[in-house]
Amino acid sequence: MDTGGTDIIWNQFILAAALGRTARRVLEREGGAPDGEAPRFSYVDTHAGAGRLPRPARLAEVCRALPAAAWSVAVGSGRAFPGSWVLAGRVIGALGGLDHEADVNDIDPAAIEAAKANREGGWVRFWSHDWFSFLRHRFVLEPRPGFVFIDPPADDPRGPGYAMDAAILLDTL
């Protein structure tokens, strides 16, 4: 069924809202550092892709229905639609006052190579592992992520329940 890209739009709308709220809390809690350094915010994306998607056909219609300023500004205009990790960088960058880093993962090495050309801001590390293996490896590094976007590929044989269990485990930790 052709949804005109509304499934991508909806996922990214939710991502931008949740990420913006989380990053804003960090900024409020740690914003006035006495040493003058901006607090660092770390974002992790388990199935990042190249950072650019075809512009959804129904984007203008959905933008009118979902008038969220942070999301609309982060989506921007033009032919390309930002992938999740590019959108995340734009949302965090628009808040101002946070140094941000992203760990982006995709099992497809070609997607990671394409992603390197789509960096826009912040500091980005690229990974190419199974998404769950990537999370295990990433969580031993400091700083711990401030936000983890668990987005397993649709063809993952473990199914969506595995990702939900992983999200519950991360929230518990």
Side-chain angles (χ1 to χ4, degrees):
M1 178 169 96
D2 181 13
T3 61
T6 54
D7 50 341
I8 293 168
I9 296 168
W10 183 242
N11 286 343
Q12 291 201 350
F13 178 80
I14 293 169
L15 169 64
L19 178 62
R21 188 171 39 255
T22 303
R24 214 176 285 93
R25 278 192 221 132
V26 170
L27 187 58
E28 289 167 0
R29 186 177 63 237
E30 301 176 27
D35 59 7
E37 284 191 33
R40 177 155 295 223
F41 188 83
S42 178
Y43 169 83
V44 171
D45 196 322
T46 63
H47 181 62
R52 296 281 185 269
L53 301 166
R55 197 155 186 83
R58 296 183 56 203
L59 182 60
E61 172 189 342
V62 176
C63 281
R64 286 189 298 276
L66 301 171
W71 175 74
S72 297
V73 169
V75 166
S77 59
R79 296 185 61 135
F81 188 74
S84 53
W85 63 275
V86 172
L87 181 94
R90 290 177 183 179
V91 169
I92 296 166
L95 290 173
L98 284 174
D99 285 338
H100 65 279
E101 62 183 49
D103 287 276
V104 298
N105 178 69
D106 199 292
I107 199 162
D108 180 2
I112 291 300
E113 280 307 308
K116 291 176 182 178
N118 292 321
R119 285 184 266 209
E120 292 185 357
W123 196 72
V124 182
R125 281 185 292 259
F126 296 100
W127 302 66
S128 187
H129 298 293
D130 168 80
W131 70 269
F132 193 76
S133 174
F134 158 68
L135 281 178
R136 283 197 332 257
H137 288 89
R138 176 52 189 91
F139 267 83
V140 298
L141 300 175
E142 291 293 335
R144 286 280 177 93
F147 192 95
V148 178
F149 183 45
I150 299 177
D151 177 28
D155 63 352
D156 189 315
R158 294 169 288 210
Y162 197 72
M164 287 183 253
D165 289 345
I168 291 167
L169 177 61
L170 288 177
D171 191 47
T172 302
L173 294 174

